[in-house]
Amino acid sequence: QVQLVESGGGSVQAGGSLRLSCVISRATDKKYCMAWFRQAPGKEREGVAWINKYNETRYRDFVRGRFTISQDNAGNTLYLQMNTLKPEDTGVYYCAAKDSNGYCYDFGGFINVGQGTQVTVSS
């Protein structure tokens, strides 16, 4: 089992930056595929980026070049650096983990999800 706690959300103007963090607590040394999701008001939750145990990453087109996902060497904290924010980036951002021995293939199968942190970008 893994527990995830996000922080770092807030309100910024368009063009600004935020850095989200997610503290990962796990009962074993299992390796997980880690990802960030987001959910805008009235929309379904969508994947933003994932990172595997080799620190290989994948981004959705709408954030590529603006957002950077990373994790510390111990795998205890996940980050999302968000630059050049746009109003359409507004939503609740969730940290998520998939029990897949650290391999990532897509944004499906993430059943371990944090409580979320709100990001609001004003124009």
Side-chain angles (χ1 to χ4, degrees):
Q1 189 72 355
V2 60
Q3 293 184 330
L4 308 167
V5 179
E6 304 95 333
S7 62
S11 297
V12 296
Q13 289 192 329
S17 298
L18 283 173
R19 189 191 197 203
L20 306 183
S21 298
C22 172
V23 175
I24 306 162
S25 300
R26 69 195 83 196
T28 68
D29 290 333
K30 276 187 176 182
K31 300 295 185 184
Y32 292 84
C33 169
M34 299 301 302
W36 287 98
F37 286 75
R38 72 184 186 187
Q39 187 167 17
K43 295 188 176 182
E44 292 188 354
R45 189 177 299 178
E46 61 184 359
V48 174
W50 58 245
I51 185 167
N52 67 16
K53 65 179 180 180
Y54 301 111
N55 287 324
E56 296 169 331
T57 59
R58 179 74 56 84
Y59 298 91
R60 297 291 301 278
D61 287 346
F62 49 76
V63 302
R64 188 175 293 117
R66 300 188 298 123
F67 290 11
T68 302
I69 188 172
S70 62
Q71 58 190 347
D72 67 358
N73 289 337
N76 293 329
T77 308
L78 181 72
Y79 302 100
L80 185 67
Q81 178 67 44
M82 306 187 295
N83 297 328
T84 319
L85 283 160
K86 305 176 181 180
E88 51 264 43
D89 293 319
T90 293
V92 179
Y93 283 70
Y94 299 89
C95 172
K98 179 163 60 176
D99 185 3
S100 57
N101 196 27
Y103 293 96
C104 300
Y105 301 101
D106 54 30
F107 287 104
F110 285 85
I111 62 173
N112 300 288
V113 183
Q115 84 288 350
T117 185
Q118 176 70 44
V119 171
T120 303
V121 185
S122 58
S123 58

